[in-house]
Amino acid sequence: MEDLSILSAEEMTGLNYMCTCGKNHSVGIETIKVGQGVITGLPTVIKSYEGEKVFIIEDTHTLSVAGKKVEELLKEKFKVSKFVFNEEHLHPNEATLGRLLLEIPGDTSLIIAVGSGTINDISRFLSCKLRIPYVIVGTAPSMDGYASVVSPLICDSVKVTYDGVYPLAIVCDSDIMKDAPMLMIQAGLGDILGKYTALADWHIANILNGEYFCPEVEKLVLTTLKKCEEAAAGVKSRDAKTVENITDALILSGIAIGMVGASRPASGGEHYISHCYEMMFLNSSEDVQWLHGNTVGVGVGVVAYAFKYAKDLDINEILTKGDYAHLDKNKWKQNITDVFTVSATNIIEFKQDSINFNEEERKASINKIVSNWDVIKEICDVNVPEPEEIIKTLKKAGAVWNPKELGLDKELFRKSFIAAKDMRNRYGILQLLEDIGMLDEAANYITNIYYK
Ligand SMILES: [Zn+2]
Ligand SMILES: [Zn+2]
């Protein structure tokens, strides 16, 4: 088996092999093109559809940056039709999908999505439902969903993840992507940096709960992540190579999720923090400019501090003191209510049965942690960079790094750190800190760093 970590996203297409982790890893994407000028290769990529109907999905913005070029390239040999969304903020909801069903011509052989987040998500879903393959022509390196197999959509005003399909091909021209709004490029970098803490959380879940883990996928993600980190200084100048590295890493991150069949290699505590902020913004109904990757970037610094805090703890002293044994349910509920306001009831309902309030069970779980403490400390130490380094990288790219900039006041930041993990049911450093009764203290420690 060749070393996965030296492969670019382009070289991973068609991969299918039995891994040392015991799982068969496969990548069901035929073609991936990342680089300067690659858009001109689109007619060759979809050559087998010559003479057939292709349907382009885009919005007014992506039409002008890439859609026109796509049409020009395809009009001679393909029967091209299109639908252009006019909305300033397109939502992946029932209305958007309904509109596409009305517009897509019968006998369409291929869908071509021109855009990033929402356009990609709705095109993937449509492709899956209608059984018509789709190609994504990326316009911004803002998120890791290009190579994803699921579509997060909004149904009845609630975000739900639906099944989708891999795109037939991904075409990301860095000459187009480098001119994306700066916030989107910074978001891409933020989402990538998040893989540090995501991978460390995955390790911890493997050690303490025996959760499936693949070291080869970890190595693959880490290698591309380091390339991005080194290139961060090129973000502000829109350096084409930097944008290419970020795009490559975002596509590989999607591929890694597909390879292990779970989002573990791409999403951990930093994503719960990010989801928590996103939900707070939604509840406050203020118009917020931040994208998913921007809040993930802030979250990865915060969670890196959590790892740093954990590794310096004296676990035996905590065990002897015994404070960990009692978790106050009312206090837990109140904190969630303060952070999530109108959505709090849903979160409490979702999480309360899996939170451990029982003293005997809490003793059993801390004992497990104590007996694995050396390995956990090593993960905190070796796998997660110093938080200051992560913040430095974000600053180099001109990206948001401080929760204050997101509009969170000191008290709300502290409470959100405690509540964030309750949005999901997955183990990681934040849950570990709660298990040993140190989550509140960690929250104070981190709050005093960001809000000194
Ligand atoms: Zn594996
Ligand atoms: Zn993400």
Side-chain angles (χ1 to χ4, degrees):
M1 178 56 225
E2 54 188 322
D3 183 359
L4 283 186
S5 64
I6 58 164
L7 299 180
S8 69
E10 282 193 41
E11 293 162 327
M12 303 245 349
T13 48
L15 195 82
N16 189 350
Y17 75 104
M18 184 49 96
C19 179
T20 48
C21 73
K23 222 183 179 93
N24 192 80
H25 296 317
S26 66
V27 182
I29 304 173
E30 278 183 22
T31 314
I32 297 173
K33 296 270 176 221
V34 180
Q36 287 185 271
V38 295
I39 196 168
T40 53
L42 183 63
T44 317
V45 169
I46 61 166
K47 198 170 174 35
S48 56
Y49 293 89
E50 271 183 14
E52 297 181 36
K53 283 189 192 169
V54 301
F55 178 58
I56 303 174
I57 301 172
E58 57 200 337
D59 63 25
T60 43
H61 174 69
T62 63
L63 166 75
S64 74
V65 300
K68 279 185 188 144
K69 178 84 185 167
V70 168
E71 222 176 311
E72 199 181 293
L73 287 164
L74 302 184
K75 68 181 180 207
E76 242 176 71
K77 293 188 173 158
F78 302 83
K79 292 178 189 146
V80 181
S81 62
K82 66 180 174 206
F83 183 72
V84 185
F85 284 101
N86 277 316
E87 287 83 346
E88 191 47 48
H89 293 287
L90 186 65
H91 296 292
N93 59 14
E94 299 93 330
T96 305
L97 280 161
R99 188 63 203 256
L100 289 176
L101 279 176
L102 293 173
E103 299 291 340
I104 189 167
D107 302 329
T108 294
S109 298
L110 183 70
I111 294 168
I112 300 184
V114 179
S116 59
T118 301
I119 297 269
N120 184 47
D121 286 334
I122 52 173
S123 302
R124 167 182 299 117
F125 183 77
L126 195 72
S127 164
C128 178
K129 276 278 154 133
L130 301 182
R131 296 175 190 275
I132 300 171
Y134 93 102
V135 171
I136 171 77
V137 176
T139 54
S142 53
M143 45 91 227
D144 61 3
Y146 286 123
S148 167
V149 278
V150 294
S151 281
L153 303 173
I154 296 165
C155 181
D156 288 334
S157 307
V158 178
K159 206 167 174 177
V160 186
T161 302
Y162 288 88
D163 284 343
V165 285
Y166 268 138
L168 184 74
I170 302 173
V171 177
C172 289
D173 192 323
S174 45
D175 281 337
I176 294 168
M177 314 235 336
K178 75 178 170 51
D179 292 326
M182 187 47 74
L183 215 53
M184 293 183 100
I185 306 177
Q186 291 160 340
L189 178 73
D191 209 9
I192 289 301
L193 288 176
K195 312 311 172 207
Y196 270 127
T197 42
L199 291 170
D201 267 355
W202 191 22
H203 254 284
I204 287 183
N206 170 255
I207 299 296
L208 289 175
N209 300 336
E211 222 180 273
Y212 160 80
F213 180 82
C214 174
E216 285 198 32
V217 169
E218 179 193 41
K219 197 169 151 200
L220 165 76
V221 176
L222 267 182
T223 312
T224 74
L225 161 55
K226 291 211 168 105
K227 258 198 269 172
C228 278
E229 204 179 8
E230 284 155 18
V235 166
K236 278 202 232 170
S237 61
R238 299 177 177 277
D239 171 60
K241 193 70 205 161
T242 299
V243 170
E244 226 172 279
N245 280 335
I246 295 177
T247 307
D248 212 60
L250 289 166
I251 294 173
L252 276 169
S253 162
I255 288 178
I257 295 174
M259 283 169 78
V260 305
S263 64
R264 270 293 189 186
S267 151
E270 75 299 324
H271 269 74
Y272 316 148
I273 299 265
S274 160
H275 296 320
C276 175
Y277 295 165
E278 283 170 38
M279 195 150 205
M280 287 157 80
F281 298 153
L282 215 67
N283 290 343
S284 78
S285 70
E286 270 170 54
D287 211 10
V288 175
Q289 56 161 338
W290 307 111
L291 302 167
H292 165 74
N294 302 128
T295 51
V296 173
V298 175
V300 62
V302 172
V303 176
Y305 273 117
F307 277 99
K308 184 178 174 144
Y309 177 78
K311 81 173 173 197
D312 292 333
L313 290 172
D314 184 338
I315 196 73
N316 289 311
E317 193 185 87
I318 292 169
L319 184 68
T320 317
K321 266 174 89 183
D323 295 345
Y324 67 86
H326 181 67
L327 183 67
D328 188 325
K329 192 166 187 175
N330 287 330
K331 200 173 150 197
W332 174 78
K333 276 187 181 172
Q334 188 57 52
N335 189 70
I336 290 179
T337 308
D338 292 347
V339 172
F340 296 110
T341 59
V342 290
S343 324
T345 323
N346 286 343
I347 292 170
I348 293 169
E349 197 94 320
F350 161 75
K351 199 62 195 272
Q352 61 186 354
D353 292 339
S354 51
I355 289 267
N356 203 353
F357 294 105
N358 176 293
E359 290 204 8
E360 282 313 306
E361 285 171 27
R362 291 189 68 80
K363 272 182 197 157
S365 82
I366 198 172
N367 281 330
K368 201 151 108 192
I369 293 167
V370 172
S371 54
N372 287 290
W373 192 244
D374 287 344
V375 193
I376 292 166
K377 255 178 96 151
E378 199 184 311
I379 293 169
C380 298
D381 207 18
V382 178
N383 296 54
V384 184
E386 287 294 318
E388 293 80 7
E389 286 302 312
I390 286 167
I391 289 171
K392 217 197 274 172
T393 306
L394 289 166
K395 281 182 178 170
K396 250 192 249 169
V400 58
W401 61 274
N402 194 318
K404 268 193 236 172
E405 276 179 84
L406 300 177
L408 269 75
D409 69 33
K410 187 175 178 178
E411 192 51 14
L412 201 54
F413 168 76
R414 194 184 66 79
K415 287 179 171 173
S416 67
F417 176 81
I418 297 167
K421 64 166 182 38
D422 292 322
M423 297 194 67
R424 294 286 185 279
N425 236 340
R426 283 206 302 193
Y427 206 84
I429 191 69
L430 301 175
Q431 185 60 52
L432 182 147
L433 285 166
E434 185 175 83
D435 282 352
I436 61 172
M438 297 305 284
L439 192 62
D440 278 23
E441 283 73 4
N444 294 336
Y445 161 81
I446 298 168
T447 306
N448 288 330
I449 292 169
Y450 283 101
Y451 294 80
K452 47 174 172 276

